[in-house]
Amino acid sequence: MIFTILLAGVTAYVILYYRWVRKYPPGPLPLPLIGNLYHLSAETVHEYVDKIGPDYGHCLTLFLPRPVVFFTDFDTVKEALVAKGDHFIGRSHLPPEIYLHENLMNKQRTANTIQSPQTGVVMSDGDVWKEQRRVSLKIMREHGMGQNIMEAQVNRAIDEMLAHIDNINAENTAIDMTLPLQLCFGNVITETLFGYHFKHTDLEVFEFALDAVIQFIQSMRDNIWVLLVQAWPWTKHLPLVGRKGYSEPIASISKFRHFVQEEIRKIDASFFRSQDPTNFAQSYLLEMEKNPQLNMQHLHAIVVDFWIGGVETSSTTLSWALIAFMEYPEIQEKMRSELLSVVGRERQIEMADKSSLPYFNAALTELQRWANILPFTQFHRCEKNISTKDSIIGGKLVPKDTLTMPQIYSVMRSERIFPNPGEFKPERFLEADGRTASKKHLKHFMAFGLGKRQCLGESLVRMELFLVIGNLLLNYRFEKIGPVDCTPVFGSVIFPKKHKCRVVPI
């Protein structure tokens, strides 16, 4: 009798489960409880989705075990993020994204849910996101984003980086460029946010903050446990799942949050409101006094968003640049030759030189496409409060309140758009004359995302890459000391393998 009841219950569950599955765009067959996890390796999920995307019309569902709809070509990504952008501006409010923000641990959390922080810019949505984004953009523009003020700030960080390289570089000795690059981008964003930068002779605080971020990113790598917490929040109370998918990631990022909170506390205590603000934190503190929608918790979250986004992704792109320079020395030399013909040896590269450097610009764009360091955007939720109807993408119904994942990786590695996509080839972003930018290929370039959730710091990142790579090539030649391993290390950011190179002053 008991067996019959159990069998009937299991049968009913399976029938209801597959009825539920049919609500979503088709994909590989999921199994009850575990969904499609049996299909996936965490290291290659982006490659798996890229491989099967064409079989499902580039709009498919994977159950991880929570259903996630993936868009895997330019047309479906653009349709979702641009043509129907208002339908897909929501955020997940789920692990692992919400682990970054401080009020995750608040007392309003119940045993079976994890509260959304709804703080900052990157992870919030609705009216909170609109207001925090508006104020953040206003402040960044006031402090020179995209202007000469910011160019001077980037150049100060470059000067510190060059001093750091000269300090650790010994003739004929290979060096690891990772820390100098991280310091450079760390100094740009730290000076913007807090009004100071680190000296290469005193890096204890910088390395503490950086290590905390790296530990968090590494704790997310190959982490199936966090997907279980995402699908069933009550599993955070289970010994192994809770430790690997909940407690350890939060413990690692809390060190960085403490660093941010302490820096803002010091600024708040020392800043006289009658003074003109000289950094983002001071400006936000002033805005707080006249805008009730702003508070200290939002400031903490925005700084976390900007610091992580401004350091790790940019320095990782530069690490891939050095690998490209070593693997394709002829491209490195061609970029340097053009730089020397325009800039010469007597001054630094300037943003005013941009229009005179078509090959160099094409190489920077190709670098970002080739490195492809962000395989996915953040989750985009099919927003139930904005869309009164279920959305149709690629001719397929995406139910309201569904998590979606536009896959940048597939667009940037499209064989149809970018033939031989694994090859580093700057010419693909130029017309036949070698000087005119290729509009066709630039249209499909989406390293910064698309639509209303496009990267807030895009103009700053573009400036940084232009100035940093330009100055590196004007000062040094990067030579390999052995075979170059271009195999990526997958995570929320795709890292290159650790490497050293010979840095030859020129």
Side-chain angles (χ1 to χ4, degrees), residues 13 33 65 79 84 112 134 255 276 355 384 454 472:
Y13 170 77
L33 297 180
E79 184 180 3
K84 298 179 180 177
N112 295 318
R134 183 192 69 79
K255 298 176 185 176
D276 290 332
S355 61
K384 62 182 178 182
Q454 194 161 332
L472 285 173

Side-chain angles (χ1 to χ4, degrees), residues 50-98:
D50 180 56
K51 179 181 177 181
I52 66 173
D55 298 336
Y56 297 97
H58 298 288
C59 178
L60 67 144
T61 307
L62 291 178
F63 291 79
L64 302 176
R66 178 184 289 271
V68 178
V69 176
F70 288 82
F71 309 127
T72 66
D73 74 342
F74 178 78
D75 291 336
T76 54
V77 171
K78 185 178 179 181
E79 184 180 3
L81 300 188
V82 179
K84 298 179 180 177
D86 284 340
H87 293 195
F88 292 91
I89 58 174
R91 284 304 196 214
S92 75
H93 308 305
L94 292 167
E97 295 179 339
I98 64 171

Side-chain angles (χ1 to χ4, degrees), residues 290-474:
K290 53 188 178 183
N291 187 339
Q293 296 181 67
L294 310 184
N295 58 46
M296 196 66 78
Q297 199 168 53
H298 280 305
L299 176 55
H300 292 160
I302 291 169
V303 169
V304 168
D305 292 341
F306 284 5
W307 206 94
I308 293 177
V311 178
E312 200 54 51
T313 55
S314 298
S315 62
T316 300
T317 301
L318 260 292
S319 293
W320 278 111
L322 297 185
I323 287 180
F325 294 158
M326 291 186 286
E327 185 70 359
Y328 300 91
E330 70 283 359
I331 294 177
Q332 179 185 172
E333 293 304 323
K334 190 171 180 179
M335 293 173 70
R336 182 179 294 107
S337 177
E338 185 182 60
L339 282 167
L340 289 172
S341 70
V342 173
V343 179
R345 297 184 180 275
E346 303 303 318
R347 66 176 176 88
Q348 288 185 319
I349 186 175
E350 301 171 353
M351 292 304 298
D353 298 317
K354 190 174 178 66
S355 61
S356 302
L357 297 166
Y359 185 82
F360 181 76
N361 290 320
L364 296 186
T365 305
E366 173 67 351
L367 167 66
Q368 292 173 278
R369 185 208 66 81
W370 179 77
N372 215 0
I373 66 169
L374 295 175
F376 309 107
T377 65
Q378 300 286 346
F379 282 116
H380 289 249
R381 185 185 291 272
C382 186
E383 186 60 72
K384 62 182 178 182
N385 295 324
I386 295 175
S387 174
T388 57
K389 298 181 179 179
D390 299 327
S391 294
I392 305 294
I393 301 295
K396 298 176 182 177
L397 184 145
V398 180
K400 291 182 292 184
D401 209 30
T402 300
L403 294 186
T404 67
M405 186 67 81
Q407 179 158 278
I408 292 175
Y409 177 89
S410 293
V411 178
M412 304 278 266
R413 287 296 175 104
S414 169
E415 183 76 41
R416 179 179 62 86
I417 300 169
F418 303 108
N420 301 314
E423 180 182 352
F424 184 71
K425 187 179 179 182
E427 290 81 3
R428 71 172 87 245
F429 284 100
L430 294 171
E431 298 290 359
D433 63 6
R435 295 194 60 81
T436 306
S438 171
K439 293 182 180 178
K440 171 189 172 183
H441 291 95
L442 285 173
K443 181 180 76 171
H444 293 91
F445 175 78
M446 56 170 62
F448 299 99
L450 284 178
K452 296 186 176 182
R453 284 288 190 169
Q454 194 161 332
C455 176
L456 194 63
E458 178 178 348
S459 62
L460 174 58
V461 174
R462 288 184 180 275
M463 177 186 287
E464 289 176 317
L465 294 178
F466 182 84
L467 295 174
V468 174
I469 292 179
N471 278 294
L472 285 173
L473 291 179
L474 285 170

Side-chain angles (χ1 to χ4, degrees), residues 52-330:
I52 66 173
D55 298 336
Y56 297 97
H58 298 288
C59 178
L60 67 144
T61 307
L62 291 178
F63 291 79
L64 302 176
R66 178 184 289 271
V68 178
V69 176
F70 288 82
F71 309 127
T72 66
D73 74 342
F74 178 78
D75 291 336
T76 54
V77 171
K78 185 178 179 181
E79 184 180 3
L81 300 188
V82 179
K84 298 179 180 177
D86 284 340
H87 293 195
F88 292 91
I89 58 174
R91 284 304 196 214
S92 75
H93 308 305
L94 292 167
E97 295 179 339
I98 64 171
Y99 288 170
L100 290 171
H101 289 175
E102 62 191 289
N103 68 341
L104 171 69
M105 305 299 290
N106 66 31
K107 295 180 180 179
Q108 298 175 15
R109 191 177 78 247
T110 68
N112 295 318
T113 63
I114 299 177
Q115 291 292 317
S116 162
Q118 273 292 54
T119 51
V121 174
V122 176
M123 305 306 172
S124 63
D125 54 23
D127 292 338
V128 172
W129 167 67
K130 290 176 183 177
E131 185 62 10
Q132 299 307 315
R133 185 180 187 276
R134 183 192 69 79
V135 172
S136 297
L137 270 174
K138 172 179 177 287
I139 293 174
M140 293 295 281
R141 287 168 182 156
E142 288 173 352
H143 288 284
M145 187 167 71
Q147 303 172 24
N148 291 340
I149 298 172
M150 188 62 71
E151 182 173 352
Q153 189 168 306
V154 174
N155 281 327
R156 286 194 291 272
I158 290 171
D159 290 341
E160 195 63 45
M161 176 188 67
L162 297 178
H164 191 185
I165 293 171
D166 290 340
N167 185 57
I168 64 175
N169 191 28
E171 190 174 356
N172 296 321
T173 301
I175 63 172
D176 183 348
M177 286 283 292
T178 304
L179 184 57
L181 296 177
Q182 290 169 330
L183 174 64
C184 182
F185 294 105
N187 271 338
V188 173
I189 199 65
T190 301
E191 186 169 348
T192 300
L193 296 173
F194 302 141
Y196 70 87
H197 74 236
F198 299 96
K199 295 291 185 181
H200 70 272
T201 52
D202 184 12
L203 294 178
E204 182 179 354
V205 174
F206 175 73
E207 290 187 288
F208 169 82
L210 187 65
D211 287 346
V213 172
I214 291 173
Q215 284 177 25
F216 174 74
I217 292 173
Q218 289 176 341
S219 73
M220 292 294 99
R221 190 176 297 155
D222 306 337
N223 196 333
I224 194 174
W225 311 110
V226 75
L227 294 177
L228 296 177
V229 176
Q230 181 191 90
W232 301 298
W234 58 267
T235 60
K236 69 184 182 288
H237 300 296
L238 301 179
L240 179 61
V241 179
R243 179 167 58 87
K244 291 291 188 180
Y246 186 72
S247 301
E248 288 182 0
I250 291 172
S252 62
I253 200 61
S254 65
K255 298 176 185 176
F256 179 71
R257 288 204 305 265
H258 178 74
F259 159 75
V260 167
Q261 291 163 5
E262 181 60 19
E263 292 302 309
I264 292 173
R265 184 197 64 77
K266 289 187 290 188
I267 290 172
D268 187 27
S270 62
F271 175 49
F272 292 100
R273 274 34 176 193
S274 59
Q275 298 175 336
D276 290 332
T278 60
N279 56 67
F280 183 95
Q282 290 177 346
S283 292
Y284 194 97
L285 290 169
L286 283 180
E287 292 288 334
M288 279 172 52
E289 296 183 352
K290 53 188 178 183
N291 187 339
Q293 296 181 67
L294 310 184
N295 58 46
M296 196 66 78
Q297 199 168 53
H298 280 305
L299 176 55
H300 292 160
I302 291 169
V303 169
V304 168
D305 292 341
F306 284 5
W307 206 94
I308 293 177
V311 178
E312 200 54 51
T313 55
S314 298
S315 62
T316 300
T317 301
L318 260 292
S319 293
W320 278 111
L322 297 185
I323 287 180
F325 294 158
M326 291 186 286
E327 185 70 359
Y328 300 91
E330 70 283 359

